[in-house]
Amino acid sequence: MKKLVVLDFGGQYAHLIATRIRHMGVYSEIHFPSSDPSAVADLGGVIFSGGPSSVYDADRPEFNPKWLEVAAPILGLCYGHHTINQELGGHVQRGEVHEFGPADLEHDGTSPLFVGIASPTRVWMSHGDEVDRLPDGFRVSGTTTNCRHAAVENVEAKRFGLQFHPEVVHSVDGEKMLANFLDFCGFARDWNMGDYAETLMEKVRAQAAGQKVFLLVSGGVDSTVAFELLNKALGPDRVLGLHIDNGLMRQSESAGVMEFMHAQGFDNLRINDASELFLSRLEGVWEPEKKRKIIGDTFLDVQAEETARLGLNPSEWLLAQGTIYPDTIESGGTAHAATIKTHHNRVPAILALIEAGRILEPLAELYKDEVRALGEKLGIPRDLVWRHPFPGPGLGVRLLCQTAPFPRVAEADLVAAQAVARQHSYAVSALPVRSVGVQGDGRTYAQPAVLQGPGDWKSLEETATALTNRVRAFNRVVWQLGGGLEFTPHDAWTSRSRLELLRTLDDAVTQWLRDHGHYQTIWQMPVVLLPVHCGGKEVVVLRPVISREAMTASFWQAPMAQLPSLTQKLLSLGAGAVFWDITHKPPGTIEWE
Ligand code: XMP
């Protein structure tokens, strides 16, 4: 079967291209720009992704120019467009106008990429550089007000370049343009998830040849699908699953995982209650990245201990993980991306094992929606496949800790925030804690602003966006649903009693979602307990989001009328105040740490 190769030049959304192409029924793989095209069989087309570098930077990603000699058609997007033009004899320079966001593309309808697409059409730009001279044989096929070379092509040579990003949903006809490119390449749309399951299993068999595989099974969607895939690919005799109860799981989670696995007929799954060890190592630790590292390392220690207890020879056993693509990119794990937070399956000890070729990650190229489609193909019940994502470090990153000195926003920032909030009739103050955010492709760690005032989603959204755009001290905004108005920070750690309260509140929220038929509407709804007292009790934040692959997300605007009963429930269960997180991602990440 012919495949489309995406060369990843380091753009945050590069893998979206491959996902979109697979959704259109064409098999697609990611390769490094430095790789050798002659090693790729059945090449039907190539897309060069965008990326954060400039083609004239000394430290730009290494590119093998042989890619431009392949017979298959090539489409370059943004940085990829610059690469094609520069390498074939054109020229790229820093543009006078930097474009971010919408632009209207005008074209004459003759390009194979624009068949069936009206002119003008709304496209999404994000660039500082531009092509100022085309290579011989190229022509301009589309322009925008600020970009003369928004679309260029040499149809005879089968080379195309687009300055904008057809892969993002904000480019209105972007998907059609990609589909037109696939037609130009002559792809039949005959690939589906079932075939992919086969391809993945073949890959697993090759990678695990002569070895056995040890997989940590949290019971979440990813590790469950990975476990099922490994069992099908290698047979249960060569697979051992280990569920580690780290004490940071949700209500009755570990028992539920074991019950489900046994019902599925798996008897090659063990359980290890290591909650004591995890909680003792987390004592006195408050920094989010430190907590993540301790949790990630402890998983490995417990796994090693279990290996020793069972007398397994480590050189015969690979360690498998249910890592999916966003875990890698957000941990700064691709060639040119920044670290936002270190996912538990990307701690240094794991990276060393990856270097040594001891880690197997069959789902590492996939986004969550693809993992779910794969899970359904493998026969995993819908209920489990469509469970909300739950982070590997579990409630550990939802139980915020801190010690004095507590954060305080500067008076000037508060005054600036008040000026913004007043325009929409809200009172604003700062919560004395910090959370992680992602802004301009980098990590932030700052205080949340809290709004009190009218329950109108539109003005809440506008106020939150204006606040995080204009006042740098805030990377997140919450809206108060109920409880007292005095917030006092206090020293707090990961303790069994705080975890117990968080579990109770989390369970009530999940129940509420199910009872009101909202569970499948949203991506997930983290419940976060803060080391802040209100009336002597800790305050809780609800963080429901809508998302497609968790790289970006918008906060969920629930039916207003249903919120008071939820708030009352949480207050009655022991919360001092209840907040609704009204921050999109970016600028806030989904989880608070
Ligand atoms: P953030 O907080 O980075 O989360 O916006 C994006 C998605 O990833 C989940 N998440 C994790 N998943 N290990 C995981 O397997 C982790 O360490 C981890 N941290 C965050 C998060 O729940 C959301 O769906």
Side-chain angles (χ1 to χ4, degrees):
M1 185 186 306
K2 286 219 175 287
K3 70 176 76 147
L4 182 132
V5 162
V6 176
L7 290 192
D8 179 4
F9 285 93
Q12 285 276 329
Y13 305 123
H15 275 54
L16 271 185
I17 303 167
T19 312
R20 299 265 185 269
I21 300 295
R22 291 198 289 258
H23 272 292
M24 288 188 242
V26 171
Y27 179 57
S28 165
E29 277 179 3
I30 314 277
H31 287 251
F32 285 121
S34 55
S35 60
D36 181 358
S38 60
V40 180
D42 299 323
L43 186 65
V46 187
I47 295 183
F48 291 6
S49 84
S53 316
S54 289
V55 286
Y56 46 76
D57 283 348
D59 60 354
R60 67 184 185 277
E62 189 189 336
F63 172 68
N64 182 347
K66 285 211 182 104
W67 276 106
L68 281 165
E69 293 165 16
V70 300
I74 302 179
L75 169 62
L77 307 178
C78 197
Y79 181 90
H81 158 71
H82 301 159
T83 301
I84 292 179
N85 282 276
Q86 173 103 346
E87 293 283 332
L88 294 178
H91 189 256
V92 176
Q93 66 172 12
R94 188 121 196 92
E96 275 172 26
V97 182
H98 295 189
E99 280 184 297
F100 298 96
D104 290 320
L105 179 85
E106 306 228 17
H107 66 89
D108 61 13
T110 59
S111 167
L113 293 192
F114 302 144
V115 173
I117 293 175
S119 173
T121 176
R122 175 58 54 93
V123 296
W124 205 255
M125 292 280 194
S126 183
H127 69 110
D129 289 349
E130 64 180 20
V131 173
D132 65 319
R133 193 183 68 234
L134 298 186
D136 288 344
F138 274 69
R139 73 164 197 119
V140 178
S141 53
T143 57
T144 67
T145 314
N146 291 318
C147 186
R148 280 183 301 141
H149 299 135
V152 306
E153 63 189 22
N154 180 340
V155 177
E156 212 166 296
K158 304 185 199 161
R159 302 293 182 251
F160 300 84
L162 301 177
Q163 178 57 74
F164 54 90
H165 290 271
E167 73 274 26
V168 305
V169 285
H170 300 93
S171 287
V172 176
D173 294 307
E175 191 149 334
K176 174 81 177 133
M177 293 174 193
L178 293 177
N180 283 341
F181 178 65
L182 297 180
D183 287 343
F184 182 82
C185 297
F187 280 111
R189 310 298 171 87
D190 54 0
W191 178 85
N192 63 50
M193 215 10 115
D195 299 331
Y196 198 43
E198 266 315 311
T199 310
L200 285 177
M201 285 196 266
E202 269 163 36
K203 251 189 185 168
V204 164
R205 283 182 208 114
Q207 280 174 348
Q211 311 234 11
K212 296 177 195 164
V213 178
F214 202 141
L215 175 77
L216 296 183
V217 182
S218 70
V221 181
D222 307 337
S223 61
T224 306
V225 173
F227 192 52
E228 190 91 36
L229 186 80
L230 290 172
N231 271 291
K232 286 216 158 88
L234 303 173
D237 294 345
R238 289 173 63 196
V239 180
L240 183 59
L242 174 65
H243 174 76
I244 299 175
D245 181 354
N246 56 9
L248 305 167
M249 309 294 282
R250 284 173 288 194
Q251 200 92 285
S252 315
E253 184 113 22
S254 290
V257 170
M258 295 309 287
E259 209 172 285
F260 165 76
M261 290 296 179
H262 287 138
Q264 286 285 95
F266 292 125
D267 53 11
N268 53 345
L269 179 70
R270 300 175 60 83
I271 186 164
N272 184 323
D273 180 355
S275 52
E276 205 54 52
L277 181 64
F278 278 85
L279 299 188
S280 68
R281 288 190 180 176
L282 286 170
E283 233 171 72
V285 183
W286 63 270
E287 293 105 312
E289 280 294 284
K290 235 187 213 166
K291 280 161 67 178
R292 283 179 164 271
K293 183 165 182 308
I294 289 172
I295 295 168
D297 286 347
T298 308
F299 271 125
L300 279 182
D301 292 345
V302 175
Q303 178 256 333
E305 193 187 282
E306 191 77 19
T307 309
R309 191 187 357 253
L310 296 172
L312 310 177
N313 178 353
S315 64
E316 288 173 6
W317 287 80
L318 292 174
L319 181 64
Q321 306 197 111
T323 314
I324 64 171
Y325 186 69
D327 301 347
T328 314
I329 186 144
E330 298 219 326
S331 300
T334 66
H336 307 279
T339 299
I340 311 301
K341 47 182 77 164
T342 309
H343 282 212
H344 70 290
N345 43 25
R346 277 291 171 273
V347 293
I350 291 279
L351 296 180
L353 286 169
I354 292 175
E355 272 294 304
R358 304 303 304 159
I359 298 273
L360 188 66
E361 297 186 314
L363 312 179
E365 294 288 337
L366 305 187
Y367 282 94
K368 189 70 103 195
D369 56 345
E370 295 178 306
V371 174
R372 286 180 163 144
L374 177 65
E376 287 193 340
K377 281 279 171 220
L378 292 172
I380 300 175
R382 267 190 78 81
D383 249 15
L384 204 148
V385 165
W386 288 96
R387 279 181 66 176
H388 286 173
F390 187 62
L395 298 181
V397 291
R398 295 182 180 169
L399 186 73
L400 268 56
C401 304
Q402 68 178 350
T403 184
F406 303 115
R408 256 185 92 98
V409 174
E411 198 51 35
D413 288 321
L414 212 49
V415 171
Q418 279 157 353
V420 172
R422 238 193 330 268
Q423 288 177 1
H424 295 276
S425 320
Y426 289 100
V428 64
S429 55
L431 275 182
V433 283
R434 275 176 292 217
S435 79
V436 177
V438 51
Q439 285 168 287
D441 277 349
R443 171 192 168 92
T444 57
Y445 189 48
Q447 282 183 252
V450 48
L451 298 180
Q452 283 123 358
D456 171 67
W457 288 127
K458 191 162 175 288
S459 19
L460 284 166
E461 180 179 21
E462 278 172 19
T463 315
T465 303
L467 271 174
T468 46
N469 277 352
R470 287 193 222 151
V471 188
R472 281 183 162 263
F474 297 118
N475 63 355
R476 200 181 276 279
V477 184
V478 300
W479 171 53
Q480 185 162 6
L481 290 174
L485 298 174
E486 286 279 318
F487 308 119
T488 332
H490 66 109
D491 282 303
W493 315 112
T494 310
S495 67
R496 284 195 188 265
S497 60
R498 291 186 78 216
L499 280 166
E500 215 34 65
L501 174 61
L502 178 53
R503 257 192 277 274
T504 305
L505 299 171
D506 175 73
D507 198 47
V509 170
T510 305
Q511 202 48 51
W512 178 84
L513 283 175
R514 291 197 191 278
D515 290 348
H516 290 76
H518 297 317
Y519 191 83
Q520 291 305 346
T521 310
I522 61 175
W523 171 263
Q524 67 186 139
M525 186 160 176
V527 176
V528 186
L529 196 65
L530 305 186
V532 172
H533 275 143
C534 182
K537 296 172 173 176
E538 290 200 319
V539 306
V540 69
V541 182
L542 310 179
R543 175 47 167 158
V545 290
I546 307 272
S547 182
R548 186 158 158 192
E549 56 273 296
M551 297 294 293
T552 55
S554 45
F555 76 86
W556 179 48
Q557 308 186 355
M560 271 298 166
Q562 295 176 1
L563 296 184
S565 62
L566 173 64
T567 307
Q568 284 317 314
K569 176 89 194 159
L570 300 178
L571 292 173
S572 75
L573 289 172
V578 182
F579 302 102
W580 194 267
D581 191 332
I582 53 170
T583 324
H584 298 312
K585 172 183 178 176
T589 49
I590 295 176
E591 305 287 349
W592 273 46
E593 296 195 325

